[in-house]
Amino acid sequence: GKSNLMVSTGVVGGIMVLILMLFLLGGILPDTIQRNFDSFIGRTGRFGGRVSTAPIMHYYMYRVQNDEDYSPENQNMANIAGALWYLHNEIVWHHWLRAGTFASTPKTRIERFLVFSRASQELYDKGMNFGVVNTYDLGKCSGPYKCENLQEYGPVVGCESWDPKQGNNFPHGQWTGKNVYPNAVWYSLPGKCSSVKFWQQQGDCSNHEPSGACPLGVVPTGEWTCTYTYQKVGEIRISEVENITDLEAFLEGGGREYNKETDKGIHLHFWDDIDDPVACQKRVDKVNKMFQKKYPDQPVLEDPSCDFNVGKFYPYFPEGVFHAAQTNHSTNGTTNNTNANVSNATRLLVQGTTANLRRDVTK
């Protein structure tokens, strides 16, 4: 009867209200439904970063590391080619210690991390899934500029490659044409409290400087507190890559990993020919196959395209500002001359950001 219809209607209405409450409280419904609803109502996160409509990226990152264990947040990372370029250009040519000009602790391994990332809506609206590579000095963001991008786009994953046609060879454009490792990429993972060094990252600084890292197992939403998630899934030893059983004995016996002057090693030829793309690709292939052999159950994942574009990212490039009130310079010609400006800006930044990236890619 009519009363039964009213009861049924009331029950349905109550269920609909419950579903709506679940949406508004953050949702336990499927991610695609939640994301579409969030986008429709313009739901925002704690720091103003909306749940993003950007795609979820799924790939591996690698870190050249010593024997210490610590988080990759507020650190620089790489793909395999980028990690090998860092080792080749900065580390293995130091004769008696496999460390670098800006790193005193010997490098011993290449770590692999499984990463999911999603651009903030602010970045995706500019047509990019990746931002600029930020550099870090003991956990403190040191560039480019004053790291203003973290307040403009949120703590998004940054990438850098060295294809002069793509506009993504910034802030380390000095390696363009010198780094011939095919498709080499460096990344950055902005963490909490990046305006201070590790030991000062305490108290409530994360309330206004959030980390982009989501809790483990959480799919990135693109909100400013959740632009990426990571999990370490493996590692290989550098000496294993070089087929050395005892590095100390190898060096004491007259061996040398790599000599920049001769472009060759002594009793070791893995690093020979730094300027040969074919030789560099063979090194990449070997490391990739070693990971596949050691971890056969892990999926083979393609590196994502590094779509960072300095002209889109910095509207007043080569100035590192984002709003007209912060600059007196016209933007005419900046985006049309991106590559030239990348080179000019790199010369201005090289003493700061490059040194810090060398200290950090990665400790």
Side-chain angles (χ1 to χ4, degrees), residues 80-98:
I80 290 178
L84 288 174
W85 161 249
Y86 168 70
L87 273 168
H88 208 162
N89 188 53
E90 293 293 334
I91 302 298
V92 294
W93 55 270
H94 293 271
H95 190 187
W96 293 108
L97 185 67
R98 190 195 284 144

Side-chain angles (χ1 to χ4, degrees), residues 151-164:
Q151 286 73 49
E152 185 71 15
Y153 299 108
V156 297
V157 176
C159 75
E160 178 180 14
S161 188
W162 289 273
D163 184 345

Side-chain angles (χ1 to χ4, degrees), residues 128 145 163-170 173 176 308-319 331-347:
M128 291 171 282
Y145 308 106
D163 184 345
K165 298 179 181 179
Q166 298 300 315
N168 62 8
N169 54 332
F170 179 82
T176 303
F308 166 71
N309 183 286
V310 67
K312 292 180 180 179
F313 192 83
Y314 291 106
Y316 300 97
F317 190 79
E319 293 189 59
T331 61
N332 291 338
T334 56
T335 56
N336 292 330
N337 296 290
T338 295
N339 292 328
N341 285 331
V342 166
S343 298
N344 292 334
T346 296
R347 281 193 286 270

Side-chain angles (χ1 to χ4, degrees), residues 34-48:
Q34 181 72 50
R35 187 167 69 253
N36 290 338
F37 184 79
D38 289 332
S39 177
F40 175 73
I41 67 173
R43 179 173 177 264
T44 61
R46 286 174 56 202
F47 297 89

